[in-house]
Amino acid sequence: MRSPAPRPGRARLLSVLLALPALTGGLLAGAPPGFAEPAGRAAADRPAAAVAADTYTWKNVRIDGGGFVPGIVFNRTEKNLAYARTDIGGAYRWQQDTRTWTPLLDSVGWDDWGHTGVVSIASDAVEPNKVYAAVGTYTNDWDPGNGAVLRSSDRGASWKKTGLPFKLGGNMPGRGMGERLAVDPHKNSVLYLGAPSGKGLWRSTDSGATWSQVTAFPNPGNYRQDPSDTSGYASDNQGIVWVTFDESTGSPGSATRTVYVGVADKENTVYRSTDAGATWSRLAGQPTGLLAHKGVLDAENGYLYLPYSDTGGPYDGGKGQVWRYATRTGEWKDISPVAEADTHYGFSGLSIDRQRPGTVMVTGYSSWWPDTQIFRSTDRGATWTTAWSYSSYPERANRYTMDVSSVPWLSWGANPAPPEQSPKLGWMTEALEIDPFDSDRMMYGTGATVYGTENLGAWDTGGKFTVEPMVRGLEETAVNDLAAPPSGAPLLSALGDIGGFRHTDVTKVPALMYQSPNFSTTTSLDFAESEPDTVVRVGNAEAGPHVSFSRDNGTTWQAGSDPAGVTGGGTVAVSADGGRFVWSPQGAGVQTGSGSSWTASTGLPADAVVESDRVDPKTFYGFKSGVFYVSSDGGATFTAKASSGLPTDGSVRFKAVPGAKGDIWLAGGSAGGAYGLWHSTDGGATFTKLTGVTEADTIGFGKAAPGASYQTLYTSAKIGGVRGIFRSTDAGASWTRINDDAHQWGWTGAAVTGDPRVYGRVYVGTNGRGIVYGDTADSGGPGVPGDPPGPGTCSVTYRITNQWSGGFQAEATLTNSGGTAWDGWSLGWSFPDGQKVTQLWNASYAQEGAAVTVRNLGWNAKVPPGASVGFGFTGSWSGANDRPAAFTQGGKACTTG
């Protein structure tokens, strides 16, 4: 796996390794109890059947935050309309009545996973229903796709997409600068986008539908964080980094005349056009030697404020200045809160109070130690005050109080020596915005959360303003591993950057992440199947051991010891009885031991993925490069099995079924080679590939369906030509897609596990949207066609619940309004506009031309008089999407509502 850069401190510098399916390591550790495969039902006899669908309710396992929020944007004409962008976890809209964030990009699918990285967001001040997002995660080859601009006319509920001929970097260096995307405040059909990689400045004149390069713009930028980086990550030209309109130079319906553009070029960082973008020139007299991270204009008084840093950020920066440019006179003035010689950080996060434009705030975004700093001026930068200062070093006097009781893990369990404090005010604070309608409300993003205050005015009156998390609903963790033990906590997680959590209630934020030690990233974890209080986790750490053990189901932990040479967590497994561990760390060969000491295993290559049998405490398994290995002596020695046809490259994860010795499922591979899902019932001696499962990346088990004896299977896979999250209740004979097109979450290839105690509940790991869990409306049973239709009087309601360019989602309710119970039903209609059903859940369907027939499944065949049955579906359309005019059930016409 490739790592772009070392991480400075506890913030998500990057989650590159988690975002790339072909490069991701790790495995799912732990699994629920189950039963053996019934005799005579081997996988070879059970090719995958036709795919059905089920209605699931999806929610986040609550962590609240967990990653970098580089941008917050308030709409300038509508109160309480605000958006946040994340580097890998999509975009969000603020919901004032609940004080929560609503995710807006969950519909991004597997093939477009890079579009969960948001490099910029723009809210239209003329038509507040419109919002735009510039998306793409990496500009180098880690992201195979180009960037795009998404446009919405319903505040992000649905999107239309325009692909770009270049890549965008929501998770690249410089991502905290901006905003790179801007809407003309007078002629809102005009937008500008600053591109990276030397691609220049781009403009749309049709509300984002098409884009063309502004060829007159003279400077595509030249700043690179590290020109010697051969990966292309730190060596990419950071390009055009912000666009700002001077609304005082235009009138409604006409393009704004004066536009300022920021460029990643230390000698030429600010340009201006005074003829609506026809010509451009370098702004005369500007400071040099630094980069302007933002350009914030007070058009009322004619001042452009510019926070500068010696680097592009968001985690680096050692010197900075703040300047004010008078747009009417051309005067430049250094208004830095601190002399450059006295800084050890750069400036960013600049905002002005739109109610009182003389009030300016700016952050020392890269002040990692002892804390970030926030500066405030009420006289246009002539004088400044600070959020905290030294009373008598190292003691601090704070103008604020912090209340993190809603997200208590933000303390990190730290008890630092002064002048550090816990919780910190923040780090990587490039996004700070004062509400344009409320001088008392401010929000700012950090490397881990969104903080805010609603009594900011206390800063100026001698009181203390209260800082608290304003992050509920915004989930931004990258998931490496998940485990759902049969007893104790329902969920244990291994996460990037904040380690992971023991969730005793998935609807509540845990008090603290794992401690003793607190890994920066947990790469793998496992519990003992028959002794689930025994848990082991491994991970990456800046210093100290990379392994830790718990004997109370993850409540408390004790650090283990490292063998020589260990540099990273790798993967780990614990025996079924909890008495033995096998660890495959980075930097050293595979090890076996009791936790306090380690002995090198033989026969298994370094960096192999390891797992344990869930029944036999002496049996462990390993896999690397197409070869499956087995140990029958507690991991001391491994022997390669003769099984063939397994993936030789790409990411592979496998798990052993609880309750059945030697029953193993293996998922993974790559598009260029073997790729799919394999099953072994003989301890890995042979594997059989499931037909119909063309791609699979994860495998997990959950409670068996009612009436079934085998564990329910869950996978992130491509089955029947459709990518999604799938469930099988009959050991892989048939599959049910349980997510839908509105719930895809980009890349979901790292971890999935069912719940051993709740049938149908599944936990899915994402790369930036945290852990999502789903609960089913299905009572169980395979995804097979239902019974024949029955006659009866009926009524139907049909409702389109969501619609976007070329697609829509609808739901229908069929009611038995007669006096006789149905034992099977069949609902038919004809689409009036050539619509096509693409996926349907809670029933089976067939379509021929415009005619659609929907039939019951086995579990919803019986419908008593007065009762109803419902199903939902997604479809495609063009031109029009009118509802069907008539419906029939069992050959008889239904009334419609």
Side-chain angles (χ1 to χ4, degrees):
M1 296 189 296
R2 293 178 285 185
S3 178
R7 175 153 44 98
R10 266 192 203 102
R12 191 191 44 248
L13 168 59
L14 299 166
S15 293
V16 171
L17 308 183
L18 308 175
L20 303 175
L23 302 177
T24 305
L27 79 164
L28 291 171
F35 301 90
E37 168 97 1
R41 293 284 308 280
D45 302 323
R46 297 178 288 98
V51 178
D54 181 23
T55 300
Y56 259 64
T57 300
W58 294 98
K59 299 179 181 178
N60 267 101
V61 174
R62 278 193 67 192
I63 294 169
D64 287 15
F68 180 38
V69 179
I72 297 170
V73 173
F74 280 88
N75 187 277
R76 292 276 299 277
T77 57
E78 181 173 321
K79 188 176 183 179
N80 294 322
L81 180 56
Y83 297 89
R85 62 179 172 94
T86 69
D87 50 8
I88 63 171
Y92 292 80
R93 184 183 65 247
W94 178 252
Q95 190 71 30
Q96 177 63 24
D97 55 347
T98 58
R99 296 171 56 83
T100 62
W101 296 94
T102 297
L104 302 179
L105 294 183
D106 284 358
S107 60
V108 173
W110 179 274
D111 291 337
D112 291 327
W113 63 263
H115 292 172
T116 60
V118 185
V119 72
S120 191
I121 196 161
S123 182
D124 190 331
V126 179
E127 296 180 81
N129 283 341
K130 291 185 176 182
V131 62
Y132 301 85
V135 297
T137 301
Y138 301 104
T139 61
N140 60 357
D141 61 5
W142 295 342
D143 185 343
N146 282 342
V149 174
L150 308 180
R151 61 192 190 277
S152 173
S153 58
D154 54 13
R155 304 175 187 236
S158 62
W159 299 90
K160 295 179 180 179
K161 178 174 69 175
T162 297
L164 297 171
F166 51 85
K167 297 182 179 184
L168 292 176
N171 200 32
M172 294 291 289
R175 59 193 181 272
M177 295 193 282
E179 293 290 321
R180 299 171 185 252
L181 182 64
V183 184
D184 191 315
H186 292 303
K187 190 174 183 179
N188 65 328
S189 59
V190 174
L191 293 90
Y192 283 90
L193 171 66
S197 312
K199 301 301 182 181
L201 181 67
W202 290 67
R203 178 169 52 210
S204 171
T205 58
D206 55 7
S207 299
T210 61
W211 293 82
S212 59
Q213 188 172 4
V214 181
T215 56
F217 193 81
N219 187 351
N222 60 18
Y223 174 76
R224 293 165 170 81
Q225 178 181 296
D226 179 4
S228 67
D229 178 19
T230 58
S231 75
Y233 178 79
S235 56
D236 188 48
N237 176 3
Q238 295 183 17
I240 312 297
V241 296
W242 53 263
V243 178
T244 299
F245 291 93
D246 184 348
E247 61 262 39
S248 70
T249 64
S251 58
S254 299
T256 300
R257 302 290 297 171
T258 300
V259 188
Y260 295 90
V261 171
V263 180
D265 177 347
K266 290 186 177 183
E267 301 306 310
N268 310 280
T269 194
V270 186
Y271 285 78
R272 179 176 63 185
S273 172
T274 57
D275 52 13
T279 62
W280 300 84
S281 60
R282 179 186 184 274
L283 206 56
Q286 64 183 276
T288 59
L290 299 169
L291 300 174
H293 277 221
K294 300 182 187 298
V296 179
L297 185 70
D298 169 12
E300 180 179 333
N301 295 296
Y303 290 117
L304 178 67
Y305 293 94
L306 301 137
Y308 285 85
S309 176
D310 58 346
T311 70
Y315 37 81
D316 57 352
K319 293 294 178 183
Q321 299 175 358
V322 180
W323 284 77
R324 188 185 70 198
Y325 173 72
T327 61
R328 297 164 188 167
T329 66
E331 177 193 24
W332 285 92
K333 186 174 182 61
D334 184 349
I335 59 168
S336 302
V338 179
E340 182 182 21
D342 294 330
T343 62
H344 58 274
Y345 47 80
F347 291 101
S348 190
L350 191 143
S351 181
I352 65 173
D353 186 340
R354 298 292 172 179
Q355 299 294 313
R356 304 165 184 166
T359 295
V360 186
M361 298 182 70
V362 69
T363 65
Y365 76 92
S366 53
S367 179
W368 288 85
W369 188 94
D371 206 342
T372 200
Q373 184 61 278
I374 303 176
F375 304 88
R376 180 175 170 91
S377 172
T378 57
D379 53 14
R380 300 181 179 88
T383 61
W384 298 86
T385 52
T386 56
W388 61 269
S389 59
Y390 290 114
S391 53
S392 177
Y393 187 87
E395 301 302 323
R396 281 167 48 174
N398 297 336
R399 291 181 185 269
Y400 63 90
T401 60
M402 293 199 76
D403 178 5
V404 298
S405 57
S406 63
V407 190
W409 61 261
L410 285 167
S411 72
W412 255 271
N415 186 26
E420 282 194 283
Q421 294 180 353
S422 180
K424 281 195 170 189
L425 194 59
W427 56 89
M428 295 165 64
T429 50
E430 293 226 56
L432 182 147
E433 292 294 328
I434 302 170
D435 187 332
F437 294 91
D438 184 355
S439 298
D440 268 333
R441 180 160 71 176
M442 172 201 48
M443 296 182 185
Y444 67 96
T446 78
T449 192
V450 176
Y451 279 126
T453 182
E454 293 186 331
N455 67 327
L456 182 59
W459 182 310
D460 303 323
T461 59
K464 289 193 174 185
F465 63 97
T466 300
V467 176
E468 60 184 357
M470 288 186 175
V471 73
R472 183 167 182 177
L474 194 157
E475 297 285 348
E476 207 197 344
T477 48
V479 183
N480 287 337
D481 204 354
L482 296 170
S487 61
L491 185 68
L492 305 172
S493 59
L495 306 177
D497 300 308
I498 60 173
F501 295 91
R502 178 182 189 263
H503 267 91
T504 58
D505 184 339
V506 296
T507 68
K508 296 179 181 178
V509 178
L512 207 57
M513 66 279 288
Y514 304 132
Q515 301 289 298
S516 301
N518 179 358
F519 299 142
S520 55
T521 289
T522 300
T523 57
S524 175
L525 57 82
D526 195 11
F527 64 88
E529 191 63 51
S530 58
E531 296 289 341
D533 279 354
T534 298
V535 187
V536 59
R537 60 184 170 93
V538 294
N540 302 332
E542 296 172 10
H546 294 75
V547 61
S548 188
F549 304 90
S550 174
R551 297 294 181 179
D552 54 11
N553 194 242
T555 303
T556 61
W557 295 86
Q558 181 176 357
S561 59
D562 284 1
V566 171
T567 58
T571 62
V572 71
V574 57
S575 63
D577 64 358
R580 199 78 176 167
F581 303 89
V582 172
W583 183 18
S584 179
Q586 291 181 333
V590 178
Q591 309 286 321
T592 182
S594 59
S596 58
S597 62
W598 300 96
T599 302
S601 301
T602 61
L604 184 62
D607 298 322
V609 177
V610 295
E611 259 286 13
S612 66
D613 191 86
R614 310 313 283 183
V615 176
D616 184 352
K618 293 184 178 180
T619 299
F620 287 84
Y621 306 108
F623 180 88
K624 187 176 182 182
S625 302
V627 181
F628 196 82
Y629 300 82
V630 178
S631 171
S632 59
D633 56 8
T637 60
F638 282 82
T639 302
K641 290 295 183 179
S643 48
S644 60
L646 299 177
T648 57
D649 60 359
S651 173
V652 171
R653 295 164 182 80
F654 67 93
K655 294 184 70 173
V657 177
K661 181 180 178 180
D663 192 335
I664 302 158
W665 292 82
L666 183 147
S670 67
Y675 198 178
L677 183 64
W678 287 260
H679 188 201
S680 174
T681 57
D682 56 11
T686 60
F687 279 90
T688 301
K689 190 177 189 295
L690 270 70
T691 59
V693 182
T694 51
E695 299 175 3
D697 292 86
T698 60
I699 186 68
F701 314 118
K703 184 177 181 179
S709 60
Y710 196 76
Q711 292 272 294
T712 299
L713 305 178
Y714 298 94
T715 182
S716 173
K718 187 175 185 179
I719 301 176
V722 177
R723 251 291 172 182
I725 308 299
F726 291 87
R727 182 191 71 205
S728 176
T729 59
D730 53 10
S734 63
W735 295 91
T736 298
R737 188 187 180 198
I738 58 176
N739 71 322
D740 55 53
D741 289 350
H743 299 90
Q744 299 190 75
W745 314 290
W747 190 72
T748 54
V752 65
T753 185
D755 192 303
R757 301 169 239 188
V758 181
Y759 165 68
R761 175 167 289 189
V762 60
Y763 304 100
V764 179
T766 75
N767 179 55
R769 270 286 285 121
I771 308 164
V772 293
Y773 72 98
D775 287 312
T776 179
D778 186 2
S779 61
V784 295
D787 295 331
T793 305
C794 56
S795 63
V796 175
T797 60
Y798 176 98
R799 185 168 69 95
I800 295 174
T801 58
N802 197 5
Q803 182 169 304
W804 56 94
S805 177
F808 70 102
Q809 183 169 327
E811 61 183 26
T813 302
L814 172 63
T815 301
N816 182 350
S817 52
T820 303
W822 299 342
D823 189 5
W825 50 270
S826 174
L827 183 67
W829 72 82
S830 290
F831 278 126
D833 301 309
Q835 300 98 320
K836 297 289 186 183
V837 175
T838 55
Q839 180 194 346
L840 188 142
W841 50 92
N842 274 357
S844 63
Y845 80 97
Q847 181 170 1
E848 184 173 351
V852 179
T853 302
V854 178
R855 296 176 181 268
N856 61 278
L857 299 177
W859 57 269
N860 62 0
K862 298 183 184 297
V863 185
S868 301
V869 63
F871 58 88
F873 65 92
T874 56
S876 61
W877 67 281
S878 62
N881 186 24
D882 292 332
R883 56 170 289 154
F887 298 85
T888 61
Q889 196 292 110
K892 295 187 177 183
C894 300
T895 60
T896 58

